[in-house]
Amino acid sequence: MKRKLLMIEDDDQVRHVVNQFLKRKDWEFHSAPTGTEGVEKASSVRPDVVLLDVQLPDMEGWDVCRQLKADAALRAIPVVMVSGNRFGAADRVRGLEAGADDFLVKPFDLTEMLLRIENILKARGA
């Protein structure tokens, strides 16, 4: 069975590049351009992992992460936060407090992204 990734990201180009990469790796790709749509899609798709941008047009990624982790049906889904800015210690703490499992800084290497995700899933026995 294919693994499913939900990318909550407002940049069409970033979503497209990740989608094309994951297709070649036999992953099922889903996306949403806003936090609100992302939470809704997470409920319907039940992805194996969420790749979540920090800066979204309707809310911050930290708030989206909190919403996902507050939902009993979604809280076990790993969340990898993504930012175009460097993650400082305060940002990492904020992300961990929100429930994030890992962090990536744009532009990120696609192979590294996939390895981080696979390591998280492996550590969880998924």
Side-chain angles (χ1 to χ4, degrees):
M1 177 183 288
K2 284 187 176 184
R3 296 236 187 231
K4 295 183 277 187
L5 179 135
L6 169 61
M7 183 172 206
I8 306 173
E9 164 67 60
D10 61 327
D11 186 317
D12 293 337
Q13 185 176 1
V14 173
R15 287 195 317 266
H16 176 75
V17 169
V18 172
N19 181 19
Q20 293 304 307
F21 176 78
L22 289 177
K23 274 185 181 177
R24 292 191 310 268
K25 301 298 182 181
D26 205 32
W27 276 67
E28 189 176 311
F29 180 83
H30 300 270
S31 67
T34 67
T36 302
E37 290 178 53
V39 172
E40 290 171 6
K41 195 162 270 192
S43 293
S44 63
V45 170
R46 302 295 167 103
D48 295 293
V49 66
V50 173
L51 200 56
L52 174 59
D53 192 18
V54 171
Q55 294 180 315
L56 297 165
D58 60 338
M59 66 177 78
E60 291 190 326
W62 323 113
D63 298 323
V64 176
C65 189
R66 279 188 202 88
Q67 286 184 31
L68 294 171
K69 297 303 182 175
D71 186 323
L74 304 175
R75 74 172 45 120
I77 299 170
V79 175
V80 177
M81 303 287 296
V82 179
S83 177
N85 300 318
R86 289 268 170 219
F87 275 113
D91 296 320
R92 289 190 300 275
V93 167
R94 190 171 182 189
L96 291 169
E97 287 174 343
D101 295 273
D102 203 353
F103 306 91
L104 288 170
V105 177
K106 293 179 194 173
F108 52 85
D109 179 83
L110 294 168
T111 302
E112 178 187 0
M113 172 204 71
L114 187 57
L115 287 171
R116 285 175 178 268
I117 289 168
E118 288 176 344
N119 285 342
I120 291 168
L121 294 172
K122 204 179 302 179
R124 291 179 174 216

